[in-house]
């Protein structure tokens, strides 16, 4: 045990997760582990609600309410007004809906501003939407080191699409400052919270953010392919046009009217029938957050990443790892550049330490404060040191690329 584990107020929360023996899991930022509550809930939903209740469960078991009721549980984790979050579809699809709605809310402007190194699906969705609207690809402007955001946002910017925590570098952007900057120019802001929700405090309402999306399967631990969450500030909801205007977003879906008429409030963000099994797993996974606070999660996350960075220092000097995470503005992950990052990551996984590789040369380590121990961090770095010393990454099996990295 590491001394910090003795005084860790979050240590009791680890038992809520089913973590395989002999594995140190530094990839909860990509796919959260299995919460024990989800196992119990899935069994109940499959065997009782589906198996016995059948179609009656849409009402009796509250299935039809899940997009809202799960959203109500996510709202405090992202600093959102209680009834302004819904759970539905994937992050990519929800981004499409919000980008389209935001452009329509700002019709005299053409531009979308994002970042060149944001998660690619965000850019792909923007590119696809522009093509569909018959607009020029150049309507999407990408900020980069040589063209900072401040120089990209202007009077023609309709919407700014930003990742709160960068998936590759781990940099956490200043939500309050950047939202205010965009608003000064009259632009709307969509925040992608994929790598922050569940790991650190987010204050959407306080920052006056316009819109947000995020993943259910990363730090929220909702399971592979868990549905995404979508947020629209209450002030925008009445004007918001969902381009995927399906019946679940209708004011009265079971009137089966031939004419679409959007629901009042955030329900208009919905499209079709919710994936009940996935929603139930995510709902159960969220229970653990009621045992702690975001401030406590953040404090531990910062301590875990600080410990890792400190222990990694000698490896950086000896083996050429370069920490590219801006430490003062870090999220809950650390990213090390190394020319052999892919093979090193595979060799590390073979030793029971699961991190991931991000092209072209990044070893990414995620630190989920709900279940990681400080001892896990020191063991992980010790395993990395041992494999570098033995040059274990040179083995051919560690140099073959799999489909998912
Ligand atoms: C993980 C991630 C996504 C994933 O989108 P899906 O539609 O769930 O595949 C989107 N954006 C960011 C920033 C991510 O990190």
């Amino acid at each position: 045990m590491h001394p910090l584990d003795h005084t860790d107020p979050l240590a009791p929360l680890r038992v809520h997760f089913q973590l395989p023996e002999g594995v140190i899991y530094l990839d909860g930022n990509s796919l959260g582990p299995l919460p024990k509550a989800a196992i119990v809930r899935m069994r109940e939903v499959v065997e009782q609600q589906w198996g016995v209740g059948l179609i009656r469960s849409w009402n009796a078991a509250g299935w039809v309410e899940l997009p809202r009721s799960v959203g109500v549980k996510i709202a405090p984790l992202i600093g959102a007004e209680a009834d302004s979050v819904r759970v539905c579809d994937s992050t990519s699809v929800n981004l499409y809906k919000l980008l389209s709605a935001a452009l329509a809310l700002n019709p005299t402007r053409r531009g979308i501003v994002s970042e060149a190194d944001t998660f690619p699906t965000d850019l792909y969705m923007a590119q696809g939407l522009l093509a569909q609207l018959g607009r020029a690809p150049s309507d999407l402007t990408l900020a980069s080191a040589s063209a900072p955001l401040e120089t990209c946002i202007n009077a023609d910017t309709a919407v700014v699409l930003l990742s709160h925590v960068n998936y590759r570098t781990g940099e956490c952007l200043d939500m309050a400052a950047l939202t205010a900057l965009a608003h000064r120019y009259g632009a709307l802001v969509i925040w992608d919270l994929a790598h922050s929700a569940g790991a650190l405090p987010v204050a959407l309402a306080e920052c006056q953010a316009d819109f947000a999306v995020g993943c259910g399967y990363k730090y929220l631990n909702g399971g592979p392919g868990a549905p995404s969450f979508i947020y629209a500030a209450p002030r925008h909801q009445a004007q918001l046009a969902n381009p995927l205007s399906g019946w679940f977003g209708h004011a009265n879906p079971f009137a089966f009217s031939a004419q679409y008429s959007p629901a009042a409030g955030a329900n208009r963000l919905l499209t079709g029938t919710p994936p009940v099994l996935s929603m139930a797993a995510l709902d159960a996974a969220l229970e653990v957050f009621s045992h702690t606070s975001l401030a406590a999660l953040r404090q531990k996350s910062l301590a875990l990443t600080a410990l890792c960075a400190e222990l990694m220092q000698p490896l950086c000097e000896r083996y050429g790892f370069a920490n590219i995470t801006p430490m003062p503005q870090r999220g809950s992950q650390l990213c090390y550049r190394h020319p052999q990052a892919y093979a090193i990551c595979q060799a590390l996984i073979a030793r029971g330490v699961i991190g991931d590789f991000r092209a072209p040369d990044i070893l990414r380590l995620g630190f989920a404060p709900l279940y990681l121990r400080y001892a896990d961090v020191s063991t992980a770095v010790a395993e990395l040191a041992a494999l570098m010393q033995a040059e274990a990454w040179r083995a051919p099996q560690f140099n073959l690329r799999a489909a998912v990295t």
Side-chain angles (χ1 to χ4, degrees), residues 29-30 90-93 95 118-119 121-122 163 165 167 192-195 213 215 217-218 226 228 364:
N29 53 317
S30 209
S90 65
T91 301
S92 302
V93 170
L95 267 172
T118 196
F119 193 84
T121 201
D122 298 31
S163 252
V165 173
Y167 80 106
D192 188 329
L193 307 177
H195 287 281
V213 294
C215 290
Y217 52 80
K218 292 176 177 166
S228 154
R364 184 175 71 161

Side-chain angles (χ1 to χ4, degrees), residues 228-395:
S228 154
F229 62 84
I230 181 168
Y231 163 83
R235 65 182 177 280
H236 294 311
Q237 289 172 8
Q239 297 81 259
L240 193 130
N242 182 349
L244 302 177
S245 48
W247 70 313
F248 264 70
H250 193 278
N252 191 359
F254 289 89
F256 294 103
S257 154
Q259 182 58 43
Y260 181 74
S261 165
N267 268 2
R268 71 174 59 194
L269 297 166
L270 302 177
T271 297
T273 306
V276 171
L277 303 183
S278 299
M279 303 280 285
L282 174 58
D283 187 48
L286 293 170
E287 281 171 17
V288 67
F289 288 97
S290 65
H291 299 296
T292 182
S293 69
L294 291 172
L297 283 175
R298 178 60 167 162
Q299 194 178 25
K300 182 173 174 188
S301 153
L302 287 172
L304 289 166
T305 44
L307 174 66
C308 184
E310 179 196 324
L311 296 175
M312 279 294 293
Q313 199 52 45
L315 280 75
C316 292
E317 284 153 26
R318 201 168 310 148
Y319 302 113
F321 289 99
N323 181 1
I324 58 160
T325 302
M327 293 304 283
Q329 297 100 263
R330 68 191 185 274
S332 201
Q333 70 192 54
L334 294 178
C335 299
Y336 290 91
R337 187 160 262 166
H338 191 285
Q340 300 301 332
Y342 183 80
I344 291 168
C345 182
Q346 298 312 305
L348 198 55
I349 292 171
R351 287 171 175 252
V353 179
I354 303 183
D356 63 22
F357 164 80
R358 282 294 170 262
D361 59 357
I362 290 170
L363 174 65
R364 184 175 71 161
L365 306 174
F367 300 84
L370 284 171
Y371 47 84
L372 275 185
R373 299 167 296 203
Y374 294 92
D376 294 329
V377 175
S378 49
T379 306
V381 177
E383 289 292 345
L384 181 58
L387 85 84
M388 293 308 293
Q389 172 70 27
E391 300 194 11
W393 54 269
R394 288 191 189 276

